[in-house]
Each structure stands twice: as C-alpha cells, then as structure tokens.
Amino acid sequence: YNNNQNVAQFESALSSGEITALGDICHKMKPMYEQLGREEITESLFSIELFVKMGKLDRAKEEAQILLPKLQGIQEQLNLKA
C-alpha cells in the first residue's frame, strides 16, 4: 500500500464523517510513520484509533482535523523524494 492512498482515504473518511473508518485507516498507517521515525504522527494516529474504540468520535474527528495538514505535508515531502 502507499502513503498517497492512505492519506486520500484518511481525508475522504474525515470529510464524509466516517469516523469509525478513520480508526482502521490510522491503524494501517502507523507502521509506516514508525519507520520514518515520526513519533508525533504515530502518537496522533494511535490517539485517533483509541478515541474511535472508546466511542469518542468527536475527539477522534478533532484530532484528525489537526493531523491531516501534517500528513499532507509529509506526503508532499515523500513525493518530492520519489
């Protein structure tokens, strides 16, 4: 799988309000950001996943809205290197 797809899925789930699906997407994205050594991103992904599991969908959505621009920024950097 690639990061562009994941970020697109993340953005799509967030904008359509599919917060439960966001939890799954975050889970899938964690290993790649761990490999990149982006601890703050990994922690945010984990938080969103946890909020979804706890049923705190509003908090998950808030976190996701804060995280999205960061994911997009990293995605742009990765695409420039590719």
Side-chain angles (χ1 to χ4, degrees):
Y1 66 91
N2 80 32
N3 190 50
N4 290 335
Q5 273 179 319
N6 286 336
V7 174
Q9 285 180 342
F10 184 97
E11 189 173 0
S12 168
L14 179 59
S15 66
S16 62
E18 296 173 43
I19 307 304
T20 310
L22 257 184
D24 297 333
I25 297 164
C26 289
H27 182 76
K28 197 168 68 168
M29 292 171 83
K30 277 190 306 194
M32 195 199 87
Y33 288 97
E34 281 171 358
Q35 282 181 332
L36 290 172
R38 301 302 296 261
E39 208 168 289
E40 78 286 6
I41 302 292
T42 308
E43 284 173 11
S44 293
L45 291 167
F46 183 71
S47 294
I48 294 165
E49 190 185 354
L50 205 58
F51 284 135
V52 170
K53 282 182 182 167
M54 294 166 66
K56 297 186 175 185
L57 302 186
D58 288 346
R59 284 292 289 122
K61 186 177 179 179
E62 284 171 24
E63 278 287 322
Q65 286 167 333
I66 294 166
L67 182 58
L68 182 58
K70 296 177 187 175
L71 293 177
Q72 290 166 331
I74 294 169
Q75 178 190 6
E76 283 172 24
Q77 291 171 354
L78 292 174
N79 289 341
L80 289 175
K81 288 179 186 172

